[in-house]
Amino acid sequence: MGLLEIVMIGVGLSMDAAAVSMTNGMAYENLKPSHFFIIPLSYGLFQALMPCLGYLLGGIFAAFIMQYAGIAVMIILGTIGIKMMKDGVYGEQMNYCRKEPFTFPVLLAQAIATSIDAFAVD
């Protein structure tokens, strides 16, 4: 894999983290100036750690992952799709301005969610 491919993969993997960072800035009213440094720093940290962790664990669990990958993907994407359809039909009107504070568990969940695709990069 050449340098161009590595850079393109890095840019592609970081787009979701950039989108969530911008959305947090627009959706949360109570962000402090320190959040504007902590949020991208945590996303960057997880983006850097996940490929390393995936490389280490991928070698250990490769046989198991290959055997059940199709089933796992079907269950995960099916669950997400069913929830999206249910929310589209029965969902209530969304309030896009978040009143609750931006907390560490929210940041941790977002950092993991935005970098989980980097876990699978080989």
Side-chain angles (χ1 to χ4, degrees), residues 60-98:
I60 297 170
F61 297 108
F64 178 77
I65 291 170
M66 293 300 288
Q67 186 175 3
Y68 296 106
I71 295 169
V73 168
M74 180 189 71
I75 291 170
I76 291 168
L77 293 179
T79 303
I80 292 170
I82 290 169
K83 180 169 180 351
M84 287 174 62
M85 288 187 283
K86 180 183 163 207
D87 288 347
V89 173
Y90 301 112
E92 67 231 21
Q93 184 66 23
M94 297 293 292
N95 181 7
Y96 292 105
C97 189
R98 308 289 295 218

PDB file of all heavy atoms in Angstrom, residues 60-98:
ATOM      1  N   ILE A  60      -5.390 -12.368  16.424  1.00  0.00           N
ATOM      2  CA  ILE A  60      -5.805 -13.343  17.433  1.00  0.00           C
ATOM      3  C   ILE A  60      -7.160 -13.959  17.088  1.00  0.00           C
ATOM      4  O   ILE A  60      -7.365 -15.161  17.189  1.00  0.00           O
ATOM      5  CB  ILE A  60      -5.853 -12.677  18.828  1.00  0.00           C
ATOM      6  CG1 ILE A  60      -4.449 -12.207  19.220  1.00  0.00           C
ATOM      7  CG2 ILE A  60      -6.437 -13.619  19.868  1.00  0.00           C
ATOM      8  CD1 ILE A  60      -4.418 -11.335  20.459  1.00  0.00           C
ATOM      9  N   PHE A  61      -8.104 -13.104  16.675  1.00  0.00           N
ATOM     10  CA  PHE A  61      -9.473 -13.567  16.460  1.00  0.00           C
ATOM     11  C   PHE A  61      -9.847 -13.708  14.987  1.00  0.00           C
ATOM     12  O   PHE A  61     -11.027 -13.763  14.645  1.00  0.00           O
ATOM     13  CB  PHE A  61     -10.452 -12.594  17.123  1.00  0.00           C
ATOM     14  CG  PHE A  61     -10.300 -12.511  18.608  1.00  0.00           C
ATOM     15  CD1 PHE A  61      -9.756 -11.381  19.196  1.00  0.00           C
ATOM     16  CD2 PHE A  61     -10.687 -13.554  19.418  1.00  0.00           C
ATOM     17  CE1 PHE A  61      -9.612 -11.291  20.569  1.00  0.00           C
ATOM     18  CE2 PHE A  61     -10.544 -13.480  20.792  1.00  0.00           C
ATOM     19  CZ  PHE A  61     -10.003 -12.349  21.371  1.00  0.00           C
ATOM     20  N   ALA A  62      -8.870 -13.773  14.085  1.00  0.00           N
ATOM     21  CA  ALA A  62      -9.146 -13.781  12.647  1.00  0.00           C
ATOM     22  C   ALA A  62     -10.046 -14.937  12.229  1.00  0.00           C
ATOM     23  O   ALA A  62     -10.993 -14.747  11.461  1.00  0.00           O
ATOM     24  CB  ALA A  62      -7.842 -13.815  11.861  1.00  0.00           C
ATOM     25  N   ALA A  63      -9.773 -16.125  12.702  1.00  0.00           N
ATOM     26  CA  ALA A  63     -10.574 -17.286  12.305  1.00  0.00           C
ATOM     27  C   ALA A  63     -12.013 -17.152  12.775  1.00  0.00           C
ATOM     28  O   ALA A  63     -12.957 -17.418  12.016  1.00  0.00           O
ATOM     29  CB  ALA A  63      -9.954 -18.563  12.868  1.00  0.00           C
ATOM     30  N   PHE A  64     -12.201 -16.713  13.994  1.00  0.00           N
ATOM     31  CA  PHE A  64     -13.555 -16.539  14.530  1.00  0.00           C
ATOM     32  C   PHE A  64     -14.288 -15.435  13.789  1.00  0.00           C
ATOM     33  O   PHE A  64     -15.469 -15.577  13.446  1.00  0.00           O
ATOM     34  CB  PHE A  64     -13.484 -16.221  16.027  1.00  0.00           C
ATOM     35  CG  PHE A  64     -14.820 -15.986  16.652  1.00  0.00           C
ATOM     36  CD1 PHE A  64     -15.657 -17.044  16.961  1.00  0.00           C
ATOM     37  CD2 PHE A  64     -15.248 -14.699  16.928  1.00  0.00           C
ATOM     38  CE1 PHE A  64     -16.887 -16.835  17.524  1.00  0.00           C
ATOM     39  CE2 PHE A  64     -16.482 -14.474  17.500  1.00  0.00           C
ATOM     40  CZ  PHE A  64     -17.308 -15.548  17.793  1.00  0.00           C
ATOM     41  N   ILE A  65     -13.605 -14.334  13.535  1.00  0.00           N
ATOM     42  CA  ILE A  65     -14.231 -13.201  12.865  1.00  0.00           C
ATOM     43  C   ILE A  65     -14.642 -13.587  11.445  1.00  0.00           C
ATOM     44  O   ILE A  65     -15.744 -13.251  11.001  1.00  0.00           O
ATOM     45  CB  ILE A  65     -13.277 -11.988  12.859  1.00  0.00           C
ATOM     46  CG1 ILE A  65     -13.126 -11.444  14.278  1.00  0.00           C
ATOM     47  CG2 ILE A  65     -13.778 -10.895  11.932  1.00  0.00           C
ATOM     48  CD1 ILE A  65     -12.028 -10.417  14.429  1.00  0.00           C
ATOM     49  N   MET A  66     -13.798 -14.279  10.737  1.00  0.00           N
ATOM     50  CA  MET A  66     -14.113 -14.676   9.356  1.00  0.00           C
ATOM     51  C   MET A  66     -15.295 -15.636   9.309  1.00  0.00           C
ATOM     52  O   MET A  66     -16.091 -15.593   8.383  1.00  0.00           O
ATOM     53  CB  MET A  66     -12.894 -15.317   8.700  1.00  0.00           C
ATOM     54  CG  MET A  66     -11.748 -14.354   8.474  1.00  0.00           C
ATOM     55  SD  MET A  66     -12.176 -12.979   7.417  1.00  0.00           S
ATOM     56  CE  MET A  66     -12.278 -13.805   5.859  1.00  0.00           C
ATOM     57  N   GLN A  67     -15.425 -16.466  10.317  1.00  0.00           N
ATOM     58  CA  GLN A  67     -16.491 -17.452  10.328  1.00  0.00           C
ATOM     59  C   GLN A  67     -17.851 -16.807  10.550  1.00  0.00           C
ATOM     60  O   GLN A  67     -18.843 -17.225   9.957  1.00  0.00           O
ATOM     61  CB  GLN A  67     -16.215 -18.492  11.423  1.00  0.00           C
ATOM     62  CG  GLN A  67     -17.176 -19.639  11.427  1.00  0.00           C
ATOM     63  CD  GLN A  67     -16.776 -20.687  12.463  1.00  0.00           C
ATOM     64  OE1 GLN A  67     -15.815 -20.510  13.196  1.00  0.00           O
ATOM     65  NE2 GLN A  67     -17.526 -21.760  12.510  1.00  0.00           N
ATOM     66  N   TYR A  68     -17.938 -15.784  11.397  1.00  0.00           N
ATOM     67  CA  TYR A  68     -19.226 -15.204  11.768  1.00  0.00           C
ATOM     68  C   TYR A  68     -19.405 -13.758  11.320  1.00  0.00           C
ATOM     69  O   TYR A  68     -20.341 -13.094  11.747  1.00  0.00           O
ATOM     70  CB  TYR A  68     -19.398 -15.276  13.290  1.00  0.00           C
ATOM     71  CG  TYR A  68     -19.450 -16.697  13.797  1.00  0.00           C
ATOM     72  CD1 TYR A  68     -18.377 -17.247  14.477  1.00  0.00           C
ATOM     73  CD2 TYR A  68     -20.554 -17.493  13.563  1.00  0.00           C
ATOM     74  CE1 TYR A  68     -18.411 -18.556  14.937  1.00  0.00           C
ATOM     75  CE2 TYR A  68     -20.605 -18.798  14.007  1.00  0.00           C
ATOM     76  CZ  TYR A  68     -19.534 -19.315  14.700  1.00  0.00           C
ATOM     77  OH  TYR A  68     -19.574 -20.612  15.141  1.00  0.00           O
ATOM     78  N   ALA A  69     -18.558 -13.258  10.439  1.00  0.00           N
ATOM     79  CA  ALA A  69     -18.622 -11.855  10.027  1.00  0.00           C
ATOM     80  C   ALA A  69     -19.931 -11.538   9.316  1.00  0.00           C
ATOM     81  O   ALA A  69     -20.558 -10.504   9.583  1.00  0.00           O
ATOM     82  CB  ALA A  69     -17.431 -11.511   9.143  1.00  0.00           C
ATOM     83  N   GLY A  70     -20.355 -12.374   8.420  1.00  0.00           N
ATOM     84  CA  GLY A  70     -21.589 -12.115   7.678  1.00  0.00           C
ATOM     85  C   GLY A  70     -22.808 -12.046   8.574  1.00  0.00           C
ATOM     86  O   GLY A  70     -23.664 -11.169   8.422  1.00  0.00           O
ATOM     87  N   ILE A  71     -22.883 -12.951   9.527  1.00  0.00           N
ATOM     88  CA  ILE A  71     -24.012 -12.967  10.451  1.00  0.00           C
ATOM     89  C   ILE A  71     -23.988 -11.734  11.344  1.00  0.00           C
ATOM     90  O   ILE A  71     -25.030 -11.091  11.566  1.00  0.00           O
ATOM     91  CB  ILE A  71     -23.987 -14.257  11.297  1.00  0.00           C
ATOM     92  CG1 ILE A  71     -24.196 -15.464  10.382  1.00  0.00           C
ATOM     93  CG2 ILE A  71     -25.049 -14.217  12.387  1.00  0.00           C
ATOM     94  CD1 ILE A  71     -23.921 -16.784  11.050  1.00  0.00           C
ATOM     95  N   ALA A  72     -22.821 -11.376  11.844  1.00  0.00           N
ATOM     96  CA  ALA A  72     -22.707 -10.207  12.715  1.00  0.00           C
ATOM     97  C   ALA A  72     -23.089  -8.929  11.977  1.00  0.00           C
ATOM     98  O   ALA A  72     -23.822  -8.084  12.507  1.00  0.00           O
ATOM     99  CB  ALA A  72     -21.290 -10.095  13.273  1.00  0.00           C
ATOM    100  N   VAL A  73     -22.629  -8.778  10.750  1.00  0.00           N
ATOM    101  CA  VAL A  73     -22.963  -7.590   9.962  1.00  0.00           C
ATOM    102  C   VAL A  73     -24.458  -7.541   9.684  1.00  0.00           C
ATOM    103  O   VAL A  73     -25.089  -6.486   9.776  1.00  0.00           O
ATOM    104  CB  VAL A  73     -22.146  -7.566   8.651  1.00  0.00           C
ATOM    105  CG1 VAL A  73     -22.664  -6.520   7.701  1.00  0.00           C
ATOM    106  CG2 VAL A  73     -20.685  -7.329   8.957  1.00  0.00           C
ATOM    107  N   MET A  74     -25.054  -8.689   9.356  1.00  0.00           N
ATOM    108  CA  MET A  74     -26.487  -8.729   9.102  1.00  0.00           C
ATOM    109  C   MET A  74     -27.280  -8.313  10.339  1.00  0.00           C
ATOM    110  O   MET A  74     -28.222  -7.527  10.248  1.00  0.00           O
ATOM    111  CB  MET A  74     -26.912 -10.130   8.671  1.00  0.00           C
ATOM    112  CG  MET A  74     -28.402 -10.229   8.383  1.00  0.00           C
ATOM    113  SD  MET A  74     -28.966 -11.906   8.120  1.00  0.00           S
ATOM    114  CE  MET A  74     -28.858 -12.580   9.765  1.00  0.00           C
ATOM    115  N   ILE A  75     -26.893  -8.794  11.502  1.00  0.00           N
ATOM    116  CA  ILE A  75     -27.605  -8.455  12.732  1.00  0.00           C
ATOM    117  C   ILE A  75     -27.444  -6.969  13.056  1.00  0.00           C
ATOM    118  O   ILE A  75     -28.429  -6.284  13.373  1.00  0.00           O
ATOM    119  CB  ILE A  75     -27.115  -9.344  13.897  1.00  0.00           C
ATOM    120  CG1 ILE A  75     -27.566 -10.778  13.685  1.00  0.00           C
ATOM    121  CG2 ILE A  75     -27.615  -8.808  15.232  1.00  0.00           C
ATOM    122  CD1 ILE A  75     -26.939 -11.775  14.631  1.00  0.00           C
ATOM    123  N   ILE A  76     -26.234  -6.455  12.959  1.00  0.00           N
ATOM    124  CA  ILE A  76     -25.991  -5.048  13.299  1.00  0.00           C
ATOM    125  C   ILE A  76     -26.725  -4.122  12.336  1.00  0.00           C
ATOM    126  O   ILE A  76     -27.471  -3.228  12.758  1.00  0.00           O
ATOM    127  CB  ILE A  76     -24.480  -4.748  13.307  1.00  0.00           C
ATOM    128  CG1 ILE A  76     -23.812  -5.469  14.478  1.00  0.00           C
ATOM    129  CG2 ILE A  76     -24.228  -3.241  13.397  1.00  0.00           C
ATOM    130  CD1 ILE A  76     -22.295  -5.468  14.419  1.00  0.00           C
ATOM    131  N   LEU A  77     -26.536  -4.326  11.032  1.00  0.00           N
ATOM    132  CA  LEU A  77     -27.179  -3.439  10.056  1.00  0.00           C
ATOM    133  C   LEU A  77     -28.688  -3.629  10.028  1.00  0.00           C
ATOM    134  O   LEU A  77     -29.427  -2.660   9.829  1.00  0.00           O
ATOM    135  CB  LEU A  77     -26.577  -3.657   8.674  1.00  0.00           C
ATOM    136  CG  LEU A  77     -25.117  -3.240   8.518  1.00  0.00           C
ATOM    137  CD1 LEU A  77     -24.623  -3.538   7.117  1.00  0.00           C
ATOM    138  CD2 LEU A  77     -24.927  -1.785   8.866  1.00  0.00           C
ATOM    139  N   GLY A  78     -29.158  -4.846  10.244  1.00  0.00           N
ATOM    140  CA  GLY A  78     -30.599  -5.082  10.316  1.00  0.00           C
ATOM    141  C   GLY A  78     -31.240  -4.361  11.493  1.00  0.00           C
ATOM    142  O   GLY A  78     -32.308  -3.756  11.368  1.00  0.00           O
ATOM    143  N   THR A  79     -30.575  -4.415  12.640  1.00  0.00           N
ATOM    144  CA  THR A  79     -31.076  -3.724  13.827  1.00  0.00           C
ATOM    145  C   THR A  79     -31.120  -2.212  13.601  1.00  0.00           C
ATOM    146  O   THR A  79     -32.116  -1.548  13.935  1.00  0.00           O
ATOM    147  CB  THR A  79     -30.200  -4.050  15.056  1.00  0.00           C
ATOM    148  OG1 THR A  79     -30.169  -5.460  15.233  1.00  0.00           O
ATOM    149  CG2 THR A  79     -30.729  -3.381  16.302  1.00  0.00           C
ATOM    150  N   ILE A  80     -30.072  -1.669  13.015  1.00  0.00           N
ATOM    151  CA  ILE A  80     -30.040  -0.233  12.733  1.00  0.00           C
ATOM    152  C   ILE A  80     -31.138   0.137  11.739  1.00  0.00           C
ATOM    153  O   ILE A  80     -31.840   1.136  11.909  1.00  0.00           O
ATOM    154  CB  ILE A  80     -28.656   0.190  12.213  1.00  0.00           C
ATOM    155  CG1 ILE A  80     -27.615   0.064  13.329  1.00  0.00           C
ATOM    156  CG2 ILE A  80     -28.684   1.620  11.669  1.00  0.00           C
ATOM    157  CD1 ILE A  80     -26.188   0.216  12.858  1.00  0.00           C
ATOM    158  N   GLY A  81     -31.302  -0.655  10.697  1.00  0.00           N
ATOM    159  CA  GLY A  81     -32.332  -0.378   9.695  1.00  0.00           C
ATOM    160  C   GLY A  81     -33.734  -0.437  10.260  1.00  0.00           C
ATOM    161  O   GLY A  81     -34.574   0.429   9.968  1.00  0.00           O
ATOM    162  N   ILE A  82     -34.014  -1.435  11.088  1.00  0.00           N
ATOM    163  CA  ILE A  82     -35.338  -1.549  11.706  1.00  0.00           C
ATOM    164  C   ILE A  82     -35.600  -0.371  12.630  1.00  0.00           C
ATOM    165  O   ILE A  82     -36.702   0.202  12.629  1.00  0.00           O
ATOM    166  CB  ILE A  82     -35.462  -2.895  12.453  1.00  0.00           C
ATOM    167  CG1 ILE A  82     -35.523  -4.034  11.440  1.00  0.00           C
ATOM    168  CG2 ILE A  82     -36.684  -2.910  13.362  1.00  0.00           C
ATOM    169  CD1 ILE A  82     -35.375  -5.411  12.049  1.00  0.00           C
ATOM    170  N   LYS A  83     -34.597   0.044  13.409  1.00  0.00           N
ATOM    171  CA  LYS A  83     -34.772   1.193  14.290  1.00  0.00           C
ATOM    172  C   LYS A  83     -35.012   2.472  13.491  1.00  0.00           C
ATOM    173  O   LYS A  83     -35.851   3.291  13.858  1.00  0.00           O
ATOM    174  CB  LYS A  83     -33.567   1.375  15.199  1.00  0.00           C
ATOM    175  CG  LYS A  83     -33.742   2.580  16.124  1.00  0.00           C
ATOM    176  CD  LYS A  83     -32.735   2.657  17.189  1.00  0.00           C
ATOM    177  CE  LYS A  83     -32.863   3.815  18.120  1.00  0.00           C
ATOM    178  NZ  LYS A  83     -33.793   4.858  17.844  1.00  0.00           N
ATOM    179  N   MET A  84     -34.289   2.644  12.372  1.00  0.00           N
ATOM    180  CA  MET A  84     -34.498   3.829  11.537  1.00  0.00           C
ATOM    181  C   MET A  84     -35.913   3.856  10.966  1.00  0.00           C
ATOM    182  O   MET A  84     -36.554   4.914  10.938  1.00  0.00           O
ATOM    183  CB  MET A  84     -33.470   3.863  10.404  1.00  0.00           C
ATOM    184  CG  MET A  84     -32.074   4.210  10.866  1.00  0.00           C
ATOM    185  SD  MET A  84     -30.845   4.070   9.556  1.00  0.00           S
ATOM    186  CE  MET A  84     -31.428   5.286   8.407  1.00  0.00           C
ATOM    187  N   MET A  85     -36.408   2.716  10.515  1.00  0.00           N
ATOM    188  CA  MET A  85     -37.769   2.671   9.975  1.00  0.00           C
ATOM    189  C   MET A  85     -38.797   2.946  11.066  1.00  0.00           C
ATOM    190  O   MET A  85     -39.760   3.679  10.856  1.00  0.00           O
ATOM    191  CB  MET A  85     -38.027   1.318   9.318  1.00  0.00           C
ATOM    192  CG  MET A  85     -37.280   1.147   8.012  1.00  0.00           C
ATOM    193  SD  MET A  85     -37.725  -0.341   7.118  1.00  0.00           S
ATOM    194  CE  MET A  85     -36.844  -1.580   8.054  1.00  0.00           C
ATOM    195  N   LYS A  86     -38.597   2.361  12.241  1.00  0.00           N
ATOM    196  CA  LYS A  86     -39.512   2.588  13.360  1.00  0.00           C
ATOM    197  C   LYS A  86     -39.521   4.061  13.756  1.00  0.00           C
ATOM    198  O   LYS A  86     -40.591   4.643  13.970  1.00  0.00           O
ATOM    199  CB  LYS A  86     -39.089   1.728  14.553  1.00  0.00           C
ATOM    200  CG  LYS A  86     -39.963   1.872  15.756  1.00  0.00           C
ATOM    201  CD  LYS A  86     -39.440   1.035  16.914  1.00  0.00           C
ATOM    202  CE  LYS A  86     -40.072   1.518  18.186  1.00  0.00           C
ATOM    203  NZ  LYS A  86     -39.274   1.273  19.342  1.00  0.00           N
ATOM    204  N   ASP A  87     -38.352   4.679  13.853  1.00  0.00           N
ATOM    205  CA  ASP A  87     -38.279   6.095  14.206  1.00  0.00           C
ATOM    206  C   ASP A  87     -38.907   6.973  13.128  1.00  0.00           C
ATOM    207  O   ASP A  87     -39.496   8.006  13.428  1.00  0.00           O
ATOM    208  CB  ASP A  87     -36.832   6.525  14.445  1.00  0.00           C
ATOM    209  CG  ASP A  87     -36.251   5.971  15.727  1.00  0.00           C
ATOM    210  OD1 ASP A  87     -37.028   5.458  16.561  1.00  0.00           O
ATOM    211  OD2 ASP A  87     -35.017   6.036  15.889  1.00  0.00           O
ATOM    212  N   GLY A  88     -38.765   6.574  11.881  1.00  0.00           N
ATOM    213  CA  GLY A  88     -39.364   7.353  10.796  1.00  0.00           C
ATOM    214  C   GLY A  88     -40.873   7.307  10.815  1.00  0.00           C
ATOM    215  O   GLY A  88     -41.535   8.301  10.502  1.00  0.00           O
ATOM    216  N   VAL A  89     -41.444   6.179  11.202  1.00  0.00           N
ATOM    217  CA  VAL A  89     -42.896   6.041  11.217  1.00  0.00           C
ATOM    218  C   VAL A  89     -43.486   6.544  12.532  1.00  0.00           C
ATOM    219  O   VAL A  89     -44.455   7.306  12.537  1.00  0.00           O
ATOM    220  CB  VAL A  89     -43.298   4.565  10.980  1.00  0.00           C
ATOM    221  CG1 VAL A  89     -44.786   4.367  11.150  1.00  0.00           C
ATOM    222  CG2 VAL A  89     -42.852   4.126   9.602  1.00  0.00           C
ATOM    223  N   TYR A  90     -42.909   6.144  13.653  1.00  0.00           N
ATOM    224  CA  TYR A  90     -43.487   6.446  14.953  1.00  0.00           C
ATOM    225  C   TYR A  90     -42.728   7.507  15.746  1.00  0.00           C
ATOM    226  O   TYR A  90     -43.106   7.810  16.870  1.00  0.00           O
ATOM    227  CB  TYR A  90     -43.556   5.181  15.819  1.00  0.00           C
ATOM    228  CG  TYR A  90     -44.384   4.089  15.197  1.00  0.00           C
ATOM    229  CD1 TYR A  90     -43.778   2.916  14.743  1.00  0.00           C
ATOM    230  CD2 TYR A  90     -45.746   4.224  15.048  1.00  0.00           C
ATOM    231  CE1 TYR A  90     -44.517   1.912  14.162  1.00  0.00           C
ATOM    232  CE2 TYR A  90     -46.503   3.221  14.467  1.00  0.00           C
ATOM    233  CZ  TYR A  90     -45.884   2.072  14.036  1.00  0.00           C
ATOM    234  OH  TYR A  90     -46.626   1.087  13.457  1.00  0.00           O
ATOM    235  N   GLY A  91     -41.679   8.035  15.191  1.00  0.00           N
ATOM    236  CA  GLY A  91     -40.838   8.970  15.934  1.00  0.00           C
ATOM    237  C   GLY A  91     -41.539  10.286  16.208  1.00  0.00           C
ATOM    238  O   GLY A  91     -42.419  10.725  15.483  1.00  0.00           O
ATOM    239  N   GLU A  92     -41.134  10.913  17.286  1.00  0.00           N
ATOM    240  CA  GLU A  92     -41.692  12.212  17.628  1.00  0.00           C
ATOM    241  C   GLU A  92     -40.864  13.312  16.979  1.00  0.00           C
ATOM    242  O   GLU A  92     -39.790  13.071  16.432  1.00  0.00           O
ATOM    243  CB  GLU A  92     -41.715  12.399  19.139  1.00  0.00           C
ATOM    244  CG  GLU A  92     -40.328  12.484  19.725  1.00  0.00           C
ATOM    245  CD  GLU A  92     -40.110  11.550  20.886  1.00  0.00           C
ATOM    246  OE1 GLU A  92     -40.833  10.579  21.028  1.00  0.00           O
ATOM    247  OE2 GLU A  92     -39.187  11.820  21.646  1.00  0.00           O
ATOM    248  N   GLN A  93     -41.374  14.513  17.038  1.00  0.00           N
ATOM    249  CA  GLN A  93     -40.665  15.655  16.472  1.00  0.00           C
ATOM    250  C   GLN A  93     -39.351  15.838  17.225  1.00  0.00           C
ATOM    251  O   GLN A  93     -39.317  15.855  18.446  1.00  0.00           O
ATOM    252  CB  GLN A  93     -41.528  16.918  16.603  1.00  0.00           C
ATOM    253  CG  GLN A  93     -40.921  18.133  15.971  1.00  0.00           C
ATOM    254  CD  GLN A  93     -40.805  18.032  14.463  1.00  0.00           C
ATOM    255  OE1 GLN A  93     -41.515  17.287  13.835  1.00  0.00           O
ATOM    256  NE2 GLN A  93     -39.881  18.765  13.890  1.00  0.00           N
ATOM    257  N   MET A  94     -38.270  15.981  16.491  1.00  0.00           N
ATOM    258  CA  MET A  94     -36.952  16.099  17.099  1.00  0.00           C
ATOM    259  C   MET A  94     -36.676  17.540  17.509  1.00  0.00           C
ATOM    260  O   MET A  94     -37.011  18.468  16.785  1.00  0.00           O
ATOM    261  CB  MET A  94     -35.863  15.652  16.125  1.00  0.00           C
ATOM    262  CG  MET A  94     -35.941  14.195  15.728  1.00  0.00           C
ATOM    263  SD  MET A  94     -35.592  13.086  17.079  1.00  0.00           S
ATOM    264  CE  MET A  94     -33.887  13.424  17.338  1.00  0.00           C
ATOM    265  N   ASN A  95     -36.067  17.702  18.666  1.00  0.00           N
ATOM    266  CA  ASN A  95     -35.585  19.007  19.105  1.00  0.00           C
ATOM    267  C   ASN A  95     -34.082  18.995  18.885  1.00  0.00           C
ATOM    268  O   ASN A  95     -33.365  18.267  19.551  1.00  0.00           O
ATOM    269  CB  ASN A  95     -35.932  19.239  20.579  1.00  0.00           C
ATOM    270  CG  ASN A  95     -35.477  20.585  21.060  1.00  0.00           C
ATOM    271  OD1 ASN A  95     -35.009  21.416  20.276  1.00  0.00           O
ATOM    272  ND2 ASN A  95     -35.596  20.819  22.347  1.00  0.00           N
ATOM    273  N   TYR A  96     -33.607  19.783  17.950  1.00  0.00           N
ATOM    274  CA  TYR A  96     -32.204  19.708  17.552  1.00  0.00           C
ATOM    275  C   TYR A  96     -31.262  20.481  18.457  1.00  0.00           C
ATOM    276  O   TYR A  96     -30.077  20.400  18.316  1.00  0.00           O
ATOM    277  CB  TYR A  96     -32.049  20.169  16.106  1.00  0.00           C
ATOM    278  CG  TYR A  96     -32.688  19.198  15.156  1.00  0.00           C
ATOM    279  CD1 TYR A  96     -33.887  19.493  14.542  1.00  0.00           C
ATOM    280  CD2 TYR A  96     -32.102  17.972  14.908  1.00  0.00           C
ATOM    281  CE1 TYR A  96     -34.479  18.584  13.689  1.00  0.00           C
ATOM    282  CE2 TYR A  96     -32.685  17.057  14.062  1.00  0.00           C
ATOM    283  CZ  TYR A  96     -33.872  17.371  13.449  1.00  0.00           C
ATOM    284  OH  TYR A  96     -34.454  16.472  12.614  1.00  0.00           O
ATOM    285  N   CYS A  97     -31.801  21.246  19.374  1.00  0.00           N
ATOM    286  CA  CYS A  97     -30.948  21.990  20.300  1.00  0.00           C
ATOM    287  C   CYS A  97     -30.919  21.238  21.627  1.00  0.00           C
ATOM    288  O   CYS A  97     -31.929  21.109  22.298  1.00  0.00           O
ATOM    289  CB  CYS A  97     -31.471  23.406  20.485  1.00  0.00           C
ATOM    290  SG  CYS A  97     -30.339  24.436  21.396  1.00  0.00           S
ATOM    291  N   ARG A  98     -29.773  20.722  21.992  1.00  0.00           N
ATOM    292  CA  ARG A  98     -29.642  19.888  23.176  1.00  0.00           C
ATOM    293  C   ARG A  98     -29.495  20.756  24.417  1.00  0.00           C
ATOM    294  O   ARG A  98     -28.608  21.589  24.491  1.00  0.00           O
ATOM    295  CB  ARG A  98     -28.432  18.973  23.042  1.00  0.00           C
ATOM    296  CG  ARG A  98     -28.371  18.150  21.772  1.00  0.00           C
ATOM    297  CD  ARG A  98     -29.398  17.090  21.764  1.00  0.00           C
ATOM    298  NE  ARG A  98     -29.112  16.160  22.816  1.00  0.00           N
ATOM    299  CZ  ARG A  98     -29.282  14.874  22.720  1.00  0.00           C
ATOM    300  NH1 ARG A  98     -29.732  14.362  21.629  1.00  0.00           N
ATOM    301  NH2 ARG A  98     -29.010  14.089  23.723  1.00  0.00           N
TER     302      ARG A  98
END
